[in-house]
Amino acid sequence: MRRLITALLALALFLLTITGMKNADALARQSTSISLRWQQALADETAAEARKKQPGLTLWGQTEDILTAGWRQAQATLITYQGDPALVWDPVCQTGALPAPLDETGCAVSAALAWALFGSENAVGLTLSRGETVYTVRGVLPGEDCLALLPDPTASYTAVELPTVGETWQDPAAWAEEQRQQAGLPAPDWTLWPAAAAFLARLLAWLPLLFAAGVLAAALWRAVRRQALWRRDAVGFALLLAAALALPVLLALWPAWLTPSRWSDFAWWGRLAQQLREQGTAWLAAPCLGRDLPVKTGLLAQAGLAVFQTVLCEVLRCRLRGTDQVK
């Protein structure tokens, strides 16, 4: 019975870990850009000039409006954009896909909005209207709120997404400032790094797992420490090999901007502390728009999963230790 309970606890820990990994992956999908935010909408001339200078930028804003489909209509949250919608919202759809960056007549709607306008989630290929403009639904997003992603080159934009590249994360603050100046954009009121939230989520997913691995490794070593020398050597070699195989995976998760060129560079540590403080302030102060709410709730969910994982790890450690003492 004791072994059965221990096995069930281990299974629960495994399932929580898988859930945490999936949640971290979902956050990572929404973390492929750096977001510049303004309290006031950008001037039309500024937005047009920025797109000319930096065609890869994605400008977007959020508003409320009424959409119609035939005789039905619904109030919805509209995310109007110019550029790549995958930089604004999670690109995974229930059916279909997000509109292509150059698709000016396609849109994506949430499942709730599809039900409100069409009476079904099978809305791909159907049309809806916003005023005189007609859009064709390309994809249906998961969600219980009425939401639509619509391309609109005439909208007012309060946010710009800078698509990240490999060298971005060497120094994201300097890179974002350089891109902003090249595009001729004014200084933002807030600069958000969604990748920081994604990294924190992955860290929360891995730390309890590493703790559990350490607990199991210690229990295995205690079980064989009084065995024959060749068994201890085999177990020790297997543990060291597992650690060597896991190390590259763990290092790949660690972002470059958290790794100093010299560990004794105290000025670098001061700049890092300032950047982290600014990011924390920006996440708390910036209005919650677009993907912000899913990212924040996903991060809270990840923290909750990490707490449950840690509790299960500690329970398993106590049970394994108690079993070892009984023996």
Side-chain angles (χ1 to χ4, degrees):
M1 186 64 180
R2 187 180 184 89
R3 290 183 179 180
L4 177 60
I5 294 176
T6 302
L8 291 176
L9 289 173
L11 178 60
L13 177 61
F14 175 76
L15 294 176
L16 281 176
T17 300
I18 295 298
T19 303
M21 294 293 184
K22 289 182 177 180
N23 186 62
D25 290 340
L27 289 176
R29 288 197 305 268
Q30 304 181 63
S31 307
T32 55
S33 63
I34 291 178
S35 188
L36 308 181
R37 306 286 180 85
W38 291 268
Q39 286 182 319
Q40 302 296 327
L42 295 171
D44 294 342
E45 299 79 7
T46 302
E49 191 65 23
R51 284 281 294 174
K52 288 181 180 178
K53 293 180 179 179
Q54 297 277 26
L57 298 180
T58 295
L59 297 87
W60 64 279
Q62 182 171 311
T63 186
E64 299 285 329
D65 206 346
I66 295 177
L67 299 177
T68 60
W71 56 272
R72 296 189 180 189
Q73 64 179 21
Q75 181 84 17
T77 299
L78 307 185
I79 298 179
T80 54
Y81 66 89
Q82 188 176 5
D84 187 358
L87 298 180
V88 179
W89 198 262
D90 189 342
V92 175
C93 296
Q94 287 185 187
T95 56
L98 293 183
L102 299 179
D103 185 355
E104 297 181 356
T105 61
C107 70
V109 299
S110 66
L113 183 57
W115 273 105
L117 291 178
F118 307 110
S120 171
E121 294 183 5
N122 299 320
V124 175
L126 303 180
T127 59
L128 57 85
S129 302
R130 182 192 181 196
E132 299 298 325
T133 306
V134 178
Y135 296 94
T136 301
V137 177
R138 310 294 188 199
V140 176
L141 302 162
E144 299 179 357
D145 298 322
C146 289
L147 173 80
L149 272 69
L150 305 174
D152 187 354
T154 64
S156 297
Y157 304 115
T158 57
V160 170
E161 301 300 314
L162 305 175
T164 56
V165 291
E167 62 269 17
T168 301
W169 300 114
Q170 296 295 330
D171 190 347
W175 181 86
E177 179 63 19
E178 179 184 355
Q179 297 296 309
R180 181 192 69 80
Q181 292 180 1
Q182 290 179 2
L185 292 167
D189 295 300
W190 306 282
T191 300
L192 305 181
W193 305 350
F199 163 70
L200 183 57
R202 290 194 182 280
L203 186 65
L204 290 172
W206 274 96
L207 281 181
L209 187 61
L210 292 177
F211 178 71
V215 168
L216 293 176
L220 181 61
W221 182 252
R222 286 196 301 270
V224 301
R225 64 184 175 182
R226 294 186 178 89
Q227 302 293 324
L229 179 60
W230 69 271
R231 290 185 178 178
R232 294 202 304 271
D233 290 343
V235 171
F237 176 78
L239 293 176
L240 291 175
L241 180 61
L245 293 175
L247 186 60
V249 177
L250 298 177
L251 291 177
L253 297 175
W254 193 262
W257 59 278
L258 285 177
T259 305
S261 56
R262 289 185 298 109
W263 291 94
S264 59
D265 186 357
F266 295 103
W268 182 91
W269 290 106
R271 289 194 301 271
L272 177 63
Q274 178 65 22
Q275 290 177 353
L276 293 177
R277 184 162 54 250
E278 291 175 354
Q279 278 301 296
T281 301
W283 275 107
L284 294 174
C288 197
L289 302 175
R291 65 188 171 197
D292 294 350
L293 183 59
V295 169
K296 290 178 179 180
T297 54
L299 195 56
L300 289 175
Q302 193 71 49
L305 287 172
V307 170
F308 282 114
Q309 285 177 283
T310 304
V311 170
L312 284 176
C313 287
E314 179 62 17
V315 172
L316 280 172
R317 186 189 70 82
C318 294
R319 293 187 69 86
L320 291 172
R321 189 175 181 86
T323 301
D324 184 64
Q325 289 176 351
V326 170
K327 291 181 179 180

